[in-house]
Amino acid sequence: MDMAPDSRLGLDIKRAEHALMSAKSGAVKAADLTVAQYAALLALSQNPGMSAAALARACLVTPQAMTAVLKNLEGRGLIERSAHPWHQKMLETRLTDAGRQAVELADRQAVRIERRLAEEFTPEERDSLRALLARCVQAIRGEG
């Protein structure tokens, strides 16, 4: 082994990500949503009319995964999709009233987790953490 297991950062990053996703999963269950569904609804609440491809990019999932999420949300009456007025092959996606209610309920729960996380750090530490995580992404992609 070229690198001792206890000096590798990947497991620490994965552990933090897993803790966050587990907590959010529990939080959004109150609205009968998964984290992926919540992320899509939250993005749509801020950007009505997004395409599936734009939603996939915003939610950091593949287009195929987003297609499945949208199909489920549409089947549950939380979103509606319609042809874009200028680009007939592109579908715009918008929240229904039920979708707005679901994302508002889920977001109230998810924000509690985000606040707990933020309160662990000073504003300067949060800025540093964001910068360090951005550097992690660059290093992983070979951009650093």
Side-chain angles (χ1 to χ4, degrees):
M1 279 191 216
D2 287 349
M3 186 175 202
D6 62 349
S7 68
R8 299 177 188 192
L9 295 173
L11 184 59
D12 295 312
I13 293 168
K14 180 64 178 172
R15 189 175 291 117
E17 187 233 1
H18 180 68
L20 178 61
M21 290 301 102
S22 292
K24 282 205 175 173
S25 179
V28 301
K29 272 189 180 173
D32 195 27
L33 296 173
T34 66
V35 173
Q37 291 167 343
Y38 162 68
L41 292 176
L42 186 63
L44 286 169
S45 73
Q46 298 168 347
N47 302 287
M50 289 179 82
S51 69
L55 271 170
R57 287 188 297 275
C59 297
L60 305 174
V61 299
T62 65
Q64 295 84 355
M66 185 53 65
T67 297
V69 167
L70 292 176
K71 183 177 180 180
N72 184 285
L73 292 173
E74 188 172 27
R76 293 178 52 201
L78 300 178
I79 61 166
E80 54 191 12
R81 303 180 79 199
S82 59
H84 187 280
W86 302 318
H87 307 287
Q88 294 299 315
K89 292 184 180 183
M90 185 181 90
L91 293 177
E92 290 184 321
T93 307
R94 298 186 187 283
L95 297 177
T96 62
D97 287 340
R100 271 186 284 289
Q101 290 173 0
V103 74
E104 287 170 8
L105 173 60
D107 197 49
R108 280 194 300 274
Q109 302 302 318
V111 164
R112 289 180 181 157
I113 295 159
E114 292 287 349
R115 282 198 178 114
R116 275 199 322 257
L117 181 58
E119 288 168 357
E120 282 297 312
F121 303 96
T122 66
E124 295 79 17
E125 288 173 328
R126 287 193 296 272
D127 290 344
S128 293
L129 180 57
R130 283 187 176 103
L132 290 168
L133 290 170
R135 282 177 46 199
C136 286
V137 171
Q138 288 176 334
I140 291 165
R141 291 180 177 165
E143 300 168 359

